[in-house]
């Protein structure tokens, strides 16, 4: 185990740069905070380059079989590296997951995210897509960064459980059509009530930006536009909640 | 219209204190940010004491019929009063809503919140309860403050659309039983799959803390414990998403 004492240490300085999207994309790595996320990363075969623990943190014996470099730091440096108010004593530098070659398969079940901007919403949506047993999530242009610390924490580890792919959603829609996967777009107008959706096996559900919803060009390309009925006086639902309601509704249509 | 130029102005200082729960409870008032929330407050009869606008903000003509005092401030003072990164040019001091005397009625549909701690989650849950057409929401001990700025903003105005009542959930459960309203608790173990729920008109659904879920004493008092099936590898769902899925599932059981 290596030890760092000073905040001018070059490795520490480099890891801190991973708070920015630019540096994450340059290096292909991101930070993972807390034992739960690190456990998930190891269980699902993600590659950790470095694990940094606070002095006195009890690291799990079996994690030491992994190929990372282990470092210890005093509490005050852990605080600098952490992006949370209460650091949990362990942070890892993790490699971004490889993207699978085959993206859309017949009867697959997918979520397409068109410009969701809040990192917490994005992470929660990925966790929800995992719970609903989807085969993959596609992140369109303008969507928050998957590797933002808030996004990663909100996924609760689901980012390691299913393929999550940055993509041009136009291309994905074309691939879906080629594989007979119906494309369903959420919409607030001229849309089918979700309870009237036909039975279907595979699908690609598009959800959109918090303020604007799904872009019109994608709504036009969809086989069906769907909406969730509102029984009270709210104008709309939060996008993570709406995604959960729709994915569980679609689960019933199989 | 009155004008404030200095940050030592006594009214401004007082309003800034409303960033704390203590001062909100002492005065029975809270801050509302942005034109959308203020529109909702006025439409649903909430009482505004003061409306503070940034110089040059165009306030709606018809709002001026309301009985508040109107103030203008320079951008730098608006920034101090605002709790958001991008202030929207208008903030109001609003009186807390009165709590109705009758809390539970036969065949009513209610949500009981047991210790949800994140203000954003609480606000999103209230917005969802509104969308699902519920008759009221009860906030148990340990639940985030309804009047926290983040909660209020996350409700998107739904806090004005239905009764939201701070209460001892034990008492509420007793009242539900007296009115034959079945109490349903979310639970991760020994619970009925939500798809197997019987038909019911009224209900009181209890949702719990992000980490611990619903307290055992409430689960024991419930008529039914319910869970959402997980089809993938996530361990659980975010509490706002889970609430949405369950409330829309219950909507089908009417």
């Amino acid at each position: 185990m290596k030890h760092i004492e000073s905040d001018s240490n070059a490795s520490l300085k480099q890891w801190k740069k991973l708070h920015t999207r630019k540096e994450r994309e340059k290096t292909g790595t991101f930070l993972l905070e807390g034992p739960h996320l690190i456990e998930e990363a190891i269980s699902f075969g993600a590659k950790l380059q470095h694990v940094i623990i606070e002095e006195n943190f009890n690291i799990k014996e079996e994690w030491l079989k992994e190929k990372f470099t282990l470092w210890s730091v005093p509490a005050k440096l852990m605080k600098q590296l952490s992006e949370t108010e209460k650091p949990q004593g362990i942070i890892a530098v993790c490699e971004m997951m490889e993207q699978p070659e085959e993206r859309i398969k017949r009867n697959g079940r997918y979520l397409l995210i068109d410009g969701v901007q809040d990192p917490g919403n994005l992470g929660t949506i990925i966790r929800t897509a995992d719970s609903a047993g989807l085969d993959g999530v596609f992140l369109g242009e303008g969507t928050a960064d998957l590797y933002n610390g808030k996004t990663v924490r909100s996924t609760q580890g689901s980012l390691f459980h299913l393929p999550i792919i940055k993509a041009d959603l136009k291309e994905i829609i074309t691939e879906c059509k080629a594989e007979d996967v119906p494309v369903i777009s959420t919409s607030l107008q001229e849309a089918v009530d979700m309870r009237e959706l036909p039975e279907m096996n595979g699908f690609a559900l598009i959800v959109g930006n918090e303020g604007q919803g799904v872009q019109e060009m994608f709504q036009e390309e969809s086989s069906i536009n769907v909406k969730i009925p509102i029984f009270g006086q709210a104008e709309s639902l939060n996008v993570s909640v709406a995604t959960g309601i729709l994915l569980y509704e679609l689960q019933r249509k199989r």
Side-chain angles (χ1 to χ4, degrees), chain A residues 113-131:
Chain A
I113 304 182
D114 175 29
V116 166
Q117 274 179 324
D118 180 78
N121 276 340
L122 178 61
T124 302
I125 289 173
I126 290 169
R127 179 179 175 191
T128 307
D130 179 14
S131 301

Side-chain angles (χ1 to χ4, degrees), chain A residues 20-240:
Chain A
T20 69
R21 182 171 190 163
K22 195 177 152 197
E23 190 67 17
R24 291 192 292 269
E25 289 180 351
K26 198 175 118 191
T27 58
T29 62
F30 64 104
L31 296 178
L32 266 186
E33 281 206 52
H36 174 67
L37 283 175
I38 290 172
E39 173 94 63
E40 293 290 305
I42 292 174
S43 307
F44 286 82
K47 287 183 195 138
L48 305 183
Q49 294 183 346
H50 303 277
V51 172
I52 303 104
I53 58 174
E54 205 173 304
E55 289 157 336
N56 304 321
F57 181 90
N58 260 325
I59 190 166
K60 269 200 185 174
E61 205 52 40
E62 54 176 286
W63 293 358
L64 300 174
K65 292 179 209 146
E66 303 290 319
K67 274 196 204 152
F68 52 74
T69 311
L70 185 62
W71 305 75
S72 79
V73 297
K76 78 167 201 278
L77 295 191
M78 181 57 84
K79 211 155 187 165
Q80 290 180 15
L81 187 55
S82 168
E83 293 174 283
T84 62
E85 273 176 44
K86 292 180 191 158
Q88 298 177 70
I90 184 165
I91 293 182
V93 176
C94 182
E95 292 180 16
M96 292 178 182
M97 280 72 71
E98 279 173 32
Q99 308 219 331
E101 262 180 50
E102 193 201 39
R103 303 197 291 187
I104 301 292
K105 55 178 200 264
R106 204 158 283 251
N107 289 324
R109 299 159 66 77
Y110 305 100
L111 184 67
L112 279 50
I113 304 182
D114 175 29
V116 166
Q117 274 179 324
D118 180 78
N121 276 340
L122 178 61
T124 302
I125 289 173
I126 290 169
R127 179 179 175 191
T128 307
D130 179 14
S131 301
L134 297 200
D135 297 304
V137 175
F138 296 91
L139 310 179
E141 213 186 321
T143 300
D145 182 20
L146 172 60
Y147 297 108
N148 174 300
K150 182 85 203 287
T151 309
V152 170
R153 291 193 300 283
S154 302
T155 69
Q156 297 264 322
S158 288
L159 84 164
F160 301 116
H161 300 169
L162 73 171
I164 301 167
I165 301 166
K166 272 177 73 171
D168 178 340
L169 296 188
K170 226 169 171 171
E171 284 176 26
I172 299 298
I173 291 173
T174 306
E175 289 179 34
C176 285
K177 288 181 176 171
E179 295 298 338
D180 282 331
V181 171
V183 177
I184 307 170
S185 173
T186 50
S187 176
L188 289 174
Q189 48 221 350
E190 282 184 64
V192 175
D193 184 312
M194 68 173 187
R195 296 165 297 181
E196 314 296 328
L197 281 174
E199 295 216 345
M200 54 182 101
N201 260 308
F203 63 79
L205 176 68
I206 318 180
V207 297
N209 173 272
E210 288 87 346
Q212 269 72 54
V214 174
Q215 293 179 67
E216 235 177 81
M217 65 171 177
F218 297 140
Q219 293 191 32
E220 281 163 12
E221 289 292 318
S222 302
S223 336
I224 312 174
N225 286 340
V226 70
K227 68 178 172 195
I228 299 173
I230 302 283
F231 301 102
Q233 291 168 302
E235 280 165 24
S236 64
L237 286 152
N238 164 283
V239 63
S240 319

